[in-house]
Amino acid sequence: MNLSKLSLPRWRFSGRPNLSMQFLLVGLVITFAFVLVAVFAPTFQAWGWLQNPTESLSNPIHEPPSGRYWFGTSNQGYDVFSRTLFGSQAALQVVILATMLSLVVGVPLGLVSGYLGGRLDRVLLFLMDTIYTLPGLLLSVTLAFVVGRGVLNGAIALSISYIPQYYRVVRNHTVSVKTELFIEAAQAMGANTWTVLSRYLFLNVIQSVPVLFTLNAADAILTLGGLGFLGLGLPDDVPEWGHDLKLALEALPTGVWWTAMFPGLALTLMVVGLSLVGEGLSEFIDPRKR
C-alpha cells in the first residue's frame, strides 16, 4: 500500500474561528474563571483579601456595594462578594461529583446492555426509561428528602436523574456499532465479552459523552440552585447560590437588590459557560451539526 496516497483529514484554521469554536472558547474562558475562583478563594481569605463567608458582620447590614464591600452586605450581615466567590466552590464540588457518578454508572450499564441484549437489556431499558420520564428537579427534591443535605448527598440526589441519559446514549451507539464487521471479526478470533467491550466498543461509542457531561453539569448547577432555594441543598453554613437567593427574598421588598443580583448572576454565568462548552463540543465533534 502506498501510504503517500492516503487521504488524511486536515484541520484548517482560518484567521477567524467559526461559530462553534467561538462558543467553545468563550465557554472555556468562563468555566475556567470559575474554577480558578473556586480553587483560590480559600487562599484569598487566608491572605485577608476576602471576608469569612460564614461569619456575620455585626455592622453594617444591608450596606450597598461600595469600595469596602464590593457586592454589599446581606440582611444576615454576610459579605456578598465573599459568599458569591465561595459559592462557586460548593457548586463545582457537587456538580463534578454528580456528573462523575452518573457517568461511571450509566456508561458501563449502556455498554453491557446494548452488547448483550436479551432480558437484561429489556429490564435495564424499562428501568432507565421510567427514571427518565420523571422531572429532574422533582426527582432530585424527592431524593434530597431521603438522603439528606450535604455535598455527597446532594451529588447522589442529582446523579440519579442523569444516569439514564448516559445509559441511553451509550446503549444506542453500542447496538449500532456491535453489528460492524470489525466487531464480528474480533468475536470470530475468540475475543471474550470484556475484550470486545473494552478494546473495540468503548472508544467507538463515547464520542457524545463529553458533550453530555458538560450539558449535565450546567443542568446540575441549576438543579442544585433549586434545591438550595427550597432549603434541601447544602447545609446552611455552606455558601451556596441557591440558598443565598432564598435569603435574599426577604430583603427584596425593601429595595435591597444586590443580595439577589450577584449570586443569581454568578449562577447564570456558570450555566451559560458550561452550556457554551457543550454546544461548541457538539459541533466540533460532529461536523454535520455545523
Side-chain angles (χ1 to χ4, degrees):
M1 180 183 295
N2 189 353
L3 297 178
S4 62
K5 296 183 178 181
L6 287 177
S7 178
L8 298 177
R10 295 180 180 179
W11 296 99
R12 296 180 179 178
F13 296 96
S14 60
R16 183 179 181 183
N18 58 29
L19 187 60
S20 62
M21 183 62 71
Q22 292 176 8
F23 281 161
L24 184 59
L25 291 176
V26 173
L28 286 174
V29 169
I30 295 174
T31 304
F32 187 64
F34 277 102
V35 172
L36 288 179
V37 168
V39 170
F40 290 104
T43 304
F44 294 156
Q45 182 190 350
W47 290 348
W49 295 356
L50 287 177
Q51 298 284 344
N52 188 336
T54 60
E55 181 181 340
S56 179
L57 304 171
S58 58
N59 186 45
I61 294 177
H62 282 173
E63 178 176 324
S66 62
R68 183 181 181 188
Y69 299 107
W70 291 358
F71 289 178
T73 60
S74 68
N75 52 330
Q76 290 77 30
Y78 296 129
D79 178 30
V80 178
F81 180 69
S82 180
R83 297 277 299 184
T84 302
L85 265 60
F86 273 89
S88 62
Q89 190 177 63
L92 283 174
Q93 288 176 348
V94 175
V95 166
I96 290 174
L97 278 175
T99 47
M100 288 301 299
L101 283 173
S102 55
L103 186 150
V104 168
V105 175
V107 170
L109 286 179
L111 274 170
V112 173
S113 178
Y115 181 70
L116 297 181
R119 181 177 298 178
L120 175 65
D121 181 50
R122 291 194 295 271
V123 171
L124 286 175
L125 193 59
F126 173 77
L127 178 62
M128 294 299 171
D129 284 347
T130 302
I131 298 175
Y132 189 73
T133 57
L134 299 174
L137 180 58
L138 179 61
L139 179 60
S140 299
V141 168
T142 304
L143 292 171
F145 272 115
V146 176
V147 300
R149 304 169 70 180
V151 173
L152 181 58
N153 293 342
I156 293 173
L158 293 174
S159 65
I160 300 299
S161 61
Y162 300 132
I163 290 175
Q165 299 182 34
Y166 290 99
Y167 168 83
R168 288 160 63 96
V169 168
V170 173
R171 177 199 173 271
N172 292 340
H173 285 180
T174 302
V175 170
S176 176
V177 173
K178 75 176 184 179
T179 58
E180 297 289 340
L181 292 178
F182 69 94
I183 298 294
E184 296 179 0
Q187 294 169 338
M189 289 187 294
N192 57 31
T193 300
W194 169 251
T195 301
V196 173
L197 290 176
S198 60
R199 293 188 58 184
Y200 300 102
L201 275 174
F202 178 73
L203 292 178
N204 286 281
V205 301
I206 62 168
Q207 291 91 343
S208 299
V209 169
V211 178
L212 189 59
F213 185 90
T214 54
L215 296 178
N216 280 343
D219 184 74
I221 290 175
L222 284 175
T223 307
L224 177 64
L227 291 177
F229 189 82
L230 296 173
L232 298 172
L234 304 182
D236 293 340
D237 58 345
V238 178
E240 195 269 316
W241 295 327
H243 180 65
D244 287 351
L245 287 173
K246 175 188 176 182
L247 297 178
L249 279 181
E250 303 173 6
L252 277 178
T254 62
V256 181
W257 52 268
W258 54 89
T259 57
M261 175 182 173
F262 294 110
L265 185 61
L267 190 150
T268 302
L269 280 175
M270 195 168 186
V271 170
V272 168
L274 288 169
S275 299
L276 287 176
V277 172
E279 186 69 23
L281 282 176
S282 177
E283 296 188 12
F284 189 75
I285 292 174
D286 188 355
R288 294 173 298 178
K289 296 182 179 180
R290 296 177 186 169

